[in-house]
Amino acid sequence: QVQPVESGGGLVQAGGSLTLSCAASGSIFVFAPMGWYRQAEGKQRELVASITSGGSTDYADSVKGRFTISRDYAKNTVSLQMNILEPEDTAVYYCYIRPGPLFYWGQGTQVTVSS
């Protein structure tokens, strides 16, 4: 079973930085798009950033220029570097891997940005 495992997150002041990491098991990682969604309380889950197997990236407009997604093929990990964090970035962040038509989700990690 494919199960991304997230780490990172926590509490940070506005303007600060955090890095989230997501580990995926097995060779499936190399060929699968991965990325991050987030869900704030009372809101729908939204795509934050994605990265293809070839390394092409895409970002939500609200995080462009502040967040950077990258992947390490040797470690089978995807990272989300989040800079200049804003209170509006407060949410549970979910890593996903999509080796086919289905999404496989991590358990989620809380990011809280205080003003």
Side-chain angles (χ1 to χ4, degrees):
Q1 185 175 355
V2 179
Q3 178 65 60
V5 178
E6 300 134 338
S7 60
L11 173 64
V12 65
Q13 288 188 332
S17 299
L18 282 174
T19 301
L20 306 181
S21 293
C22 177
S25 59
S27 60
I28 198 171
F29 168 88
V30 178
F31 305 104
M34 296 184 71
W36 296 87
Y37 275 72
R38 68 185 180 187
Q39 187 166 20
E41 190 171 350
K43 295 186 178 181
Q44 289 187 329
R45 191 174 293 192
E46 62 173 354
L47 178 65
V48 177
S50 63
I51 187 165
T52 68
S53 57
S56 297
T57 59
D58 194 22
Y59 298 92
D61 288 342
S62 60
V63 307
K64 282 181 181 177
R66 301 189 297 122
F67 290 12
T68 302
I69 189 170
S70 60
R71 63 196 298 166
D72 186 326
Y73 294 94
K75 297 181 180 179
N76 280 5
T77 58
V78 169
S79 296
L80 185 67
Q81 175 67 44
M82 305 184 293
N83 298 325
I84 318 175
L85 283 160
E86 303 169 351
E88 292 74 22
D89 296 316
T90 295
V92 178
Y93 284 69
Y94 298 90
C95 174
Y96 74 87
I97 182 169
R98 189 163 59 93
L102 298 179
F103 283 76
Y104 295 89
W105 299 97
Q107 77 282 3
T109 186
Q110 177 71 45
V111 172
T112 303
V113 185
S114 63
S115 57

